[in-house]
Structures are given as structure tokens and as C-alpha cells.
Amino acid sequence: MATISSQHVSSQPRLHQKGQIIQEFATVKLFPLGLSYETRVYSCQRLNKVLADTPILYGLYKKHHWLMRGATFYQLHLVLDKHAGEQLELIDALAERVQTLGGVAVGDPRHVAAITSIPRPPDGVEEVPAMLSRLLEAHETILTQAHDAAARIAELGDDGTSDLLVSQVIRTGELQAWFLAEHLVDTPLVGA
């Protein structure tokens, strides 16, 4: 014979729930990772800074992908979308590394906007060279941070975070910057 629970069972979703914060931003839980608490806090701080800038770069790529103009429209439309997809993958990798270290990944767009280093672009459409230059400047901001963070984090013994920054963030960013920069070389499209 089945026992009937004294709780009321319903198929109605429990809407409008609020909860207590169970871990504050900029803190880390204790995980048995072989890394000190201080190292994990530092790594999470540096990762969250790169993480805050990466969705902004992703957004710039998508905006410029949509707003592309001119003779190289098709090529740039495709490459900017490809780069955006690669940045989206980096966002997930960075956030998961913060979580792996026991931290709290920055995720809310308003929080990202509050801590990003990348300047806000105009709301309208810029000329194509300006759009590409804006993307290159955003890459340089992230690459500068990632190079410094990877070196300092490696000194602290956090090889996993250093590897992520070098093998994914830096290598992806450098390759994408190269592709963009080559589109700013002033060569004629037709004739020599």
C-alpha cells in the first residue's frame, strides 16, 4: 500500500521565489585542488576581469557583424560571426574555471558593464575601419590583461588557470587580432 505524503502535491510551478545569497561574489569555497585559498581568490579575481571584458568583445563582434558595410561586407560579415562564436566559447571556459576554483563567475550583464575595461561604442553605425579598430583595441585590452594574469598566476602555481589564459584566451585573441589587422592594410581591391 502506498503511503500518502502529508505535503500538498501540485503541478503548479512555484513562481516568484527569492532566495538568500549562499556565496558572495569575490569569495571562494574550499575545494581540495592543491592550491592555496589566496591563490584561488587571486586567480578568480583576474579571471573575472577577463571574463567581464570577453562578453563585451563578443557583443562588439555581433554588432559589427550585423552592421558591416562596403566592398568587403561578405568576408567580414562571416569572419566577425566566426570570431563571435569563438569568444562565446571563451566566455564559458573562463566562467567554468572560476567555478572550478570555488569562485563566483561574473555573469549578469549589468555587473559585466560595471567592471569592464572596454569602452562603450556609439549606438549608431561607424565606418568599417573604425569598427575593426574598435575590435582590435578590445582585443589588446584583453590580451594585455591575460598576459599579465597568466604570468602572475603561473608564479602562484595555478597551472590550470595559466594554461587556460595562454592556450585559449591569448592564442584565440592573437589569431583573431591578426585576421582583423590584415583587413586594415590599405591595398587596392582592383588593379595594381
Side-chain angles (χ1 to χ4, degrees):
M1 175 174 217
T3 305
I4 299 176
S5 171
S6 62
Q7 289 185 330
H8 176 67
V9 179
S10 171
S11 66
Q12 173 61 43
R14 294 179 182 180
L15 305 174
H16 309 292
Q17 295 187 49
K18 304 286 187 269
Q20 294 181 358
I21 294 174
I22 59 173
Q23 184 180 355
E24 294 290 336
F25 184 75
T27 66
V28 297
K29 299 183 284 188
L30 296 176
F31 279 160
L33 301 177
L35 294 169
S36 72
Y37 176 83
E38 293 77 17
T39 295
R40 291 183 302 110
V41 167
Y42 182 77
S43 292
C44 287
Q45 288 171 346
R46 297 302 301 265
L47 284 166
N48 268 323
K49 187 67 180 121
V50 174
L51 179 56
D53 288 341
T54 304
I56 300 299
L57 178 57
Y58 165 78
L60 286 174
Y61 265 117
K62 290 306 284 187
K63 177 183 181 180
H64 297 150
H65 158 78
W66 297 319
L67 302 179
M68 193 46 54
R69 306 281 195 272
T72 58
F73 165 82
Y74 185 70
Q75 295 85 351
L76 284 171
H77 182 75
L78 293 178
V79 78
L80 297 184
D81 200 38
K82 178 183 180 289
H83 286 189
E86 292 166 353
Q87 289 299 316
L88 198 54
E89 290 177 14
L90 289 177
I91 292 167
D92 199 49
L94 289 162
E96 287 180 355
R97 183 63 188 171
V98 172
Q99 296 303 127
T100 299
L101 293 171
V104 178
V106 61
D108 184 287
R110 294 160 294 195
H111 192 185
V112 165
I115 62 177
T116 187
S117 303
I118 298 174
R120 182 179 173 160
D123 292 335
V125 180
E126 293 180 284
E127 294 174 314
V128 172
M131 286 191 261
L132 297 179
S133 290
R134 186 173 299 283
L135 288 166
L136 283 168
E137 290 165 9
H139 270 296
E140 187 171 30
T141 297
I142 292 171
L143 287 167
T144 300
Q145 288 177 27
H147 280 290
D148 183 67
R152 292 178 187 269
I153 288 168
E155 290 172 3
L156 296 173
D158 184 355
D159 299 324
T161 300
S162 180
D163 178 62
L164 167 67
L165 290 167
V166 172
S167 66
Q168 293 183 48
V169 174
I170 292 171
R171 287 191 180 151
T172 299
E174 288 174 345
L175 188 63
Q176 290 181 349
W178 170 48
F179 272 72
L180 294 174
E182 290 299 334
H183 282 278
L184 291 174
V185 175
D186 189 16
T187 60
L189 290 175
V190 180

